[in-house]
Each structure stands twice: as structure tokens, then as C-alpha cells.
């Protein structure tokens, strides 16, 4: 459910109302008195930004020396309310020269009232894009003498904005960069069985396209391939397909087309943006296997042997690999033998840290360490072994198996584009019990 705000108040630190706007008649004008009495005067402003008093809920946020308070009388989306506040403050700053405080509000009463009428209608958020609003609210705010000088950028045609053009396009050169970035989360038992494993990924794009292009992205996801085979009446080509979970898209994606055709179609913004996020829980290709052996020899010695096997192809390599092997706090001295990279003892985190700058695929480097412990006079307590942790980055590899099948660009002028696709897999919470 959207915000459905009944009123919005701008207060200073003393609780004085600087400006307010009532959008519905289901709350009285004295709601701000309840906020001052039950929240500000009781010094509970820092405890929780959402409070319920009587039959109304108060969502408030402090920006500089101003409190912005949204009052709702029904169940509303709290995240949407705070998102509206953040976007509204950004809009005000674009008019006020980058500043938003009590003085900026007092100097721009008329402009703020005009903006409040445009960005919220009967309590529901509307368009908050500064580029679009400045096309028909051309009044300039009173700027602070310390604010940055306004730029003299030309604005796009207002008619195009009103008749369906989007507000996030600029004329650019014709290149598209697409990055698939994945984080692998793993918890493996000491016997080598996987206890928990999943991949969280995101598709990042950087676009420099002129005109108003329409892009279509094809992935090797199972639902999309099945839908395509139904439309084209032909069987799915052999190859790995994956199932995407918890998918979220950027606002530029055409969701109606995605629901009907299962294709990602969009008019991209300029520059960098996050096109989509996803999660995968099945069929995960682990980039590394860790085989640890830790032996406690009496009360003063330990032997640590760790073998790490890279499972990805021999032509690939991982960068910045770090293996952290925990040891007891009473560690006094260590000695190492490694077949690749460097190892040392880090007393600050009680770990043996093994670093390999470049880790080729299909290799099995090992680390052997002898650890001497300080002998204690008291009764020996059993050492609870924390898990081994790994950090890494593997370019041109995806643990999920996700691949870009095609990236098509349509634009009425018919220009040629250059598409660049890159894959990278990083370690999320990659842990192996020992």
C-alpha cells in the first residue's frame, strides 16, 4: 500500500511549525501538538522514527536542523514514506542550491508549497524527478550564498516529457557496459558437506547511448527460455538453465512486458545504474574447495594443514585470495611452509592469514604451519574452533552459471552500438568449519 499521508509538517528543533500541508481531512490541525508533547518533549526522538499516538502514526526524520514529520491515519508503507522524504529533500536541494535547512525553508515558502502540491496528491506520492518538475515549475529558489553556482545545462523538451518520454535520458555516445557481479555465501562442515550455500547477484550497467533506445536483455534463466520456446514453437537448446529467485528490477524495466513475455526490456538511464538483483539457491558452482586438518599436539603445540583447490577452469584465475585460519588466543610462535603466496600470523584477529595474489584454476596449493602455544597453569578449556574464512574475486566466472545470451539495442536512427559484458564472482560469507 502507498503512503496515503494525511499531513506533512516541517518543524525546527524547538518544535515550531515552519510549513505544513494537509492532504486529507481525517486528521486535525493539532496533530503537531501531539508530536511535540509525546515525542519531542519526552526526548524520545532518537529511539524510533515511527511512533503511534492514538489512532495516528508519525513517521519523522531529521535533516540538518529540520524535522520532517508525516502523519498517517491508516496502515501505510513505512519504507515508501521515508523514501518519499529522501527524494523530496533531494528535490528541494536542487532548487535551493544544495542546501536544506531552516533558513532555506523560510526563504522559499511559496516555492515549497507549490512543490508539495505537485509531488503528493491526496496523500499519494507523485513524480519527484527534479529534471521533469523544473520543466513546468521554473521558479528559482532563494539560494544560500555558500551554495554552489547553478549549472547552465539545457533542459529537454517539455512536450516530450508530458507525452511519454522518460526523464532519465541524455544524448551520449553509443556504448553499453554490463557487469554481472555475484557473491557466494557458503557454510561447509569439517567433513566437506555443504550446510548452506546460495548466490546473491546483481547486474550493473553503464550506458552511453544517444536518442531514446529500447534495450532487450536475454539470460539463460529457465522461465525466460521456456517462454521463448513457446512463442517461437521450438524446443529449448541444450545448455545449463538456472532458476532466479527474489528478482527485483530498476524502475526503467517494463514490468508489463516482463510478466507477459519474461524478457527484460527497458529504456536505460544515463551512466551507471543497477538493472536487477537476484538470488540463487540451487546448482551453485563453488569456485574453491578447502580441506583443512588441524591437530592439537598436547597443550603447547598445534599442526595446521590447509589445501585449497580451485574448481574453475585452468584458463581462469582468482585475484586477492585470502584464507584466514583461526588459532587460539595464547599463540606464541608460528612457522609456515606454503607452495604459493605468503602466510603470517595476525595477533589482532587470532588467525593465520594466507594470501595469494593470483590463484590459477585447477590448482591445489597447500599451507602447513606449526603453532606454539603459551602454557597456562589453570585448567585447560576446550578451544571452540571458529570457521575458516575466505576472500576472493574470480573474473569471468559466475557461481550461478548465469550468462548473457543477447543484449539488443533498438533506436529509430539505427546507429551501431558496442556492447561489453563482464562477469565477476566474489566471496560473501564463505566459511568452512574445521
Amino acid at each position: 500500500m502507498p503512503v496515503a499521508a494525511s499531513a506533512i509538517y516541517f518543524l525546527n528543533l524547538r518544535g515550531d511549525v515552519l510549513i505544513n500541508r494537509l492532504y486529507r481531512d481525517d486528521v486535525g490541525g493539532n496533530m503537531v501538538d501531539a508530536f511535540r508533547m509525546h515525542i519531542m518533549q519526552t526526548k524520545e526522538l532518537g529511539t524510533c522514527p515511527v511512533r503511534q499516538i492514538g489512532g495516528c502514526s508519525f513517521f519523522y526524520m531529521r535533516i540538518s536542523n529540520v524535522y520532517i514529520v508525516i502523519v498517517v491515519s491508516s496502515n501505510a508503507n513505512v519504507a515508501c514514506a521515508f523514501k518519499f522524504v529522501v527524494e523530496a529533500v533531494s528535490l528541494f536541494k536542487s532548487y535551493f542550491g544544495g542546501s536544506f535547512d531552516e533558513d532555506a525553508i523560510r526563504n522559499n515558502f511559496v516555492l515549497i508549497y507549490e512543490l508539495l502540491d505537485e509531488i503528493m496528491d491526496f496523500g499519494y506520492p507523485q513524480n519527484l524527478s527534479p529534471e521533469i518538475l523544473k520543466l513546468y515549475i521554473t521558479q528559482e529558489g532563494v539560494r544560500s550564498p555558500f551554495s554552489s553556482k547553478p549549472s547552465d545545462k539545457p533542459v529537454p523538451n517539455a512536450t516530450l516529457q508530458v507525452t511519454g518520454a522518460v526523464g532519465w535520458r541524455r544524448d551520449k555516445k553509443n556504448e553499453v557496459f554490463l557487469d554481472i557481479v555475484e557473491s557466494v555465501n557458503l557454510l561447509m562442515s569439517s567433513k566437506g558437506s555443504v550446510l548452506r550455500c546460495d548466490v546473491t547477484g546483481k547486474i550493473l550497467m553503464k550506458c552511453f547511448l544517444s536518442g531514446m533506445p529500447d534495450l532487450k536483455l536475454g539470460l539463460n534463466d529457465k522461465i525466460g527460455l521456456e517462454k521463448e520456446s513457446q512463442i517461437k514453437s521450438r524446443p529449448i537448446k541444450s545448455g545449463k538453465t538456472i532458476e532466479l529467485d527474489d528478482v527485483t528490477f530498476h524502475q526503467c524495466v517494463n514490468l508489463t512486458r516482463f510478466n507477459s513475455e519474461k524478457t527484460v526490456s527497458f529504456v536505460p538511464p544515463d551512466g551507471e545504474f543497477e538493472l536487477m538483483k537476484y538470488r540463487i539457491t540451487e546448482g551453485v558452482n563453488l569456485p574453491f574447495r578447502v580441506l583443512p586438518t588441524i591437530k592439537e599436539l598436547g597443550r603447547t603445540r598445534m599442526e595446521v594443514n590447509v589445501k585449497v583447490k580451485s574448481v574453475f577452469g585452468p584458463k581462469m584465475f582468482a585475484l586477492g585470495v585470502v584464507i584466514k585460519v583461526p588459532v587460539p588466543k595464547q599463540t606464541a610462535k608460528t612457522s609456515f611452509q606454503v607452495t604459493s603466496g605468503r602466510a603470517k600470523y595476525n595477533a589482532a584477529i587470532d588467525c593465520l592469514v594466507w594470501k595469494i595474489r593470483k590463484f590459477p584454476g585447477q590448482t591445489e596449493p597447500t599451507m602447513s604451519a606449526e603453532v606454539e602455544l603459551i602454557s597456562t597453569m589453570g585448567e585447560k578449556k576446550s578451544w571452540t574452533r571458529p570457521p575458516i574464512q575466505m576472500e576472493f574475486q574470480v573474473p569471468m566466472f559466475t557461481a550461478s552459471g548465469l550468462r548473457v545470451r543477447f543484449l539488443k539495442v533498438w533506436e529509430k536512427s539505427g546507429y551501431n552500438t558496442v556492447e561489453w559484458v563482464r562477469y565477476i564472482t566474489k566471496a560473501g560469507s564463505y566459511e568452512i568449519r574445521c
Side-chain angles (χ1 to χ4, degrees), residues 275-325:
L275 178 65
M276 61 180 284
K277 293 191 294 187
Y278 60 89
R279 190 170 68 92
I280 292 173
T281 56
E282 297 181 357
V284 177
N285 301 318
L286 297 177
F288 291 99
R289 291 278 182 177
V290 181
L291 304 174
T293 304
I294 299 179
K295 297 180 180 179
E296 298 184 37
L297 307 176
R299 302 180 61 176
T300 59
R301 288 183 62 236
M302 287 179 58
E303 284 186 359
V304 178
N305 294 284
V306 179
K307 178 188 291 186
V308 181
K309 180 179 180 180
S310 54
V311 185
F312 46 88
K315 295 183 179 181
M316 300 181 183
F317 56 86
L319 299 174
V321 178
V322 180
I323 301 100
K324 298 178 181 178
V325 183

Side-chain angles (χ1 to χ4, degrees), residues 35 111 124 126 140 162 232 300 321 326 393:
F35 179 79
L111 178 57
Y124 294 100
Q126 306 297 313
E140 293 188 1
V162 174
K232 297 183 178 180
T300 59
V321 178
Q393 290 187 1

